[in-house]
Amino acid sequence: MSDELRALVTELVGDRADEWDRAGVIPADVVRKLGRAGALCPEVPVKFGGLGLSSLDNGEFTAHVGALCSSLRSLMTSQGMAAWAIQRFGSAEQRAHYLARLTSGELVGIAFSERGAGSDLAAMGTTIRAEGDEVVVDGAKIWVTGAGYADMIVVIGRFGDGAAAVVVPVDAPGVQISRVANPMGCRAAGHSNVELHDVRLPAEALLRGAGQPLQMLVTSALTYGRVSVAWGCVGILRACLGAAARHAKARQQFGKPLAEHQLVGRHLAELLVAEQIATRACEHASRCWDDNSPEMITAAVVAKHVSAGHAARGASSAVQVLASSGANDGHVVARAYRDAKLMEIIEGSNEICQLVLAEHALAVAS
């Protein structure tokens, strides 16, 4: 099935990623078709209408998508995170209802960040409260990936002394969505700001896990996202390595192929090493996920941190090798250069990842 998915995405994307990046939008028919094929959240179990892919198989598929179009891969990450949150925290009825919609063509985003609360979860101001047979949502979220395409958004907010997730239809009264203007990277991923003013929904929209600690709820969803982003970065590295190697092999300088100049060859070698290191880190994280290993959370942070860092440096090396050829806006390595930098920020910045890993190192040492 993953081979069929790869073929489907390859056909749909073709050579249009540059066009989508410049326009800042992926055609709706492409996104809907992939949604109906279950390709935007392939790990959803078969019993809910999904493809039931393992994390490892989904990871390789995600890398393939990431090599073609990081904006499309970003939609996969967002849809997958939201689907996982519903699967993890929803009741049996909620899982059956919402997951079937997400595997039949409907689109979803997941909203964490706020202007005063990015990595600082304690500063989150969005509130979710129960009032009789309704749930009421108030707040504002920023940079919600996929919200520009979404039919619904899983909103994370404070719920009493804990936290909750609620599924909010984008056409509900009080919901206002505005696209982020001119994002640096993943320009066609539908990044949007979402305002929620006295949004009243049926109580059934509140996922069953309401009331648990905010850190636990967010970490669960972010772990899926970190693994997905990490695999997407593997795709970025593969695209950069391929583009740089082809250029260095074909381009003549001083009477010989560019690749035969040792300093250029060093860039190619380092790109290959970076791709291999990132792939191994992602494979380990996915195996931990599939085995439900206690190492899973740490392995996901390691994979995301390692892969994002290598993708940013690798894209920079690829631009260096291609020089003016790769400096044109829209070229695969120029796009990768912008997209990869964003990967060092989302789902836990480099610095947050380092803090998490430092805490883990101290805990192990004690």
Side-chain angles (χ1 to χ4, degrees), residues 31-52:
V31 180
R32 296 288 178 184
K33 186 170 185 177
L34 289 170
R36 288 192 297 272
L40 298 182
C41 47
E43 288 187 45
V44 171
V46 173
K47 67 180 180 179
F48 297 123
L51 301 176

Side-chain angles (χ1 to χ4, degrees), residues 52 59 90 94 136 149 158 164 180 184 189 232 241 243 262 269 273 292 294 319:
Q94 289 171 325
V136 185
Y149 302 95
R158 295 195 170 279
V180 173
M184 179 182 76
L241 176 58
Q262 291 181 346
V273 169
N292 197 26
V319 172

Side-chain angles (χ1 to χ4, degrees), residues 119-148:
S119 300
D120 183 8
L121 296 177
M124 186 177 288
T126 296
T127 60
I128 302 168
R129 67 184 188 277
E131 286 189 5
D133 58 356
E134 290 185 321
V135 58
V136 185
V137 189
D138 281 288
K141 299 290 186 178
I142 62 170
W143 278 84
V144 181
T145 300

Side-chain angles (χ1 to χ4, degrees), residues 229-247:
V229 167
W231 276 110
C233 288
V234 170
I236 288 174
L237 284 163
R238 291 176 182 173
C240 287
L241 176 58
R246 287 189 297 271
H247 178 82

Side-chain angles (χ1 to χ4, degrees), residues 29-352:
D29 64 313
V30 172
V31 180
R32 296 288 178 184
K33 186 170 185 177
L34 289 170
R36 288 192 297 272
L40 298 182
C41 47
E43 288 187 45
V44 171
V46 173
K47 67 180 180 179
F48 297 123
L51 301 176
L53 294 191
S54 67
S55 178
L56 193 58
D57 286 342
N58 186 37
E60 277 294 345
F61 172 57
T62 302
H64 178 69
V65 178
L68 296 172
C69 177
S70 283
S71 290
L72 180 55
R73 193 277 312 151
S74 292
L75 292 183
M76 283 181 59
T77 297
S78 181
Q79 185 106 340
M81 289 173 71
W84 170 246
I86 292 167
Q87 186 179 332
R88 175 72 176 81
F89 300 111
S91 66
E93 293 78 11
Q94 289 171 325
R95 292 195 296 271
H97 174 69
Y98 288 118
L99 294 178
R101 292 171 63 181
L102 299 186
T103 56
S104 61
E106 292 196 55
L107 306 174
V108 65
I110 185 164
F112 297 102
S113 295
E114 302 178 6
R115 294 199 184 280
S119 300
D120 183 8
L121 296 177
M124 186 177 288
T126 296
T127 60
I128 302 168
R129 67 184 188 277
E131 286 189 5
D133 58 356
E134 290 185 321
V135 58
V136 185
V137 189
D138 281 288
K141 299 290 186 178
I142 62 170
W143 278 84
V144 181
T145 300
Y149 302 95
D151 300 294
M152 49 191 162
I153 299 171
V154 175
V155 176
I156 309 297
R158 295 195 170 279
F159 184 80
D161 293 331
V166 61
V167 183
V168 180
V170 297
D171 59 359
V175 178
Q176 183 176 355
I177 297 177
S178 57
R179 287 233 181 187
V180 173
N182 303 314
M184 179 182 76
C186 300
R187 291 171 172 171
H191 303 302
S192 301
N193 299 325
V194 179
E195 295 187 21
L196 306 131
H197 301 290
D198 194 38
V199 178
R200 294 180 175 270
L201 305 167
E204 295 77 29
L206 183 69
L207 295 186
R208 180 193 59 183
Q212 61 188 292
L214 179 61
Q215 182 72 41
M216 188 175 112
L217 190 152
V218 171
T219 297
S220 181
L222 279 182
T223 298
Y224 182 100
R226 284 166 175 162
V227 175
S228 181
V229 167
W231 276 110
C233 288
V234 170
I236 288 174
L237 284 163
R238 291 176 182 173
C240 287
L241 176 58
R246 287 189 297 271
H247 178 82
K249 187 176 181 179
R251 171 78 161 148
Q252 294 280 328
Q253 286 283 278
F254 302 103
K256 60 183 179 180
L258 194 61
E260 294 182 14
H261 293 274
Q262 291 181 346
L263 292 179
V264 174
R266 181 198 66 193
H267 285 302
L268 299 179
E270 289 178 347
L271 267 167
L272 176 62
V273 169
E275 184 274 332
Q276 287 289 295
I277 291 172
T279 298
R280 300 292 90 77
C282 287
E283 288 173 343
H284 176 65
S286 281
R287 289 193 180 99
C288 287
W289 182 281
D290 290 334
D291 295 340
N292 197 26
S293 166
E295 296 180 46
M296 181 173 62
I297 292 175
T298 301
V301 176
V302 169
K304 193 272 175 183
H305 181 55
V306 166
S307 300
H310 277 302
R313 293 187 294 273
S316 177
S317 292
V319 172
Q320 192 73 21
V321 171
L322 274 83
S324 58
S325 297
N328 292 317
D329 190 24
H331 191 286
V332 62
V333 299
R335 194 168 68 246
Y337 184 77
R338 290 184 285 98
D339 293 344
K341 185 58 194 176
L342 210 57
M343 299 307 104
E344 291 193 305
I345 299 170
I346 64 171
E347 319 306 2
S349 66
N350 287 356
E351 293 77 11
I352 291 297

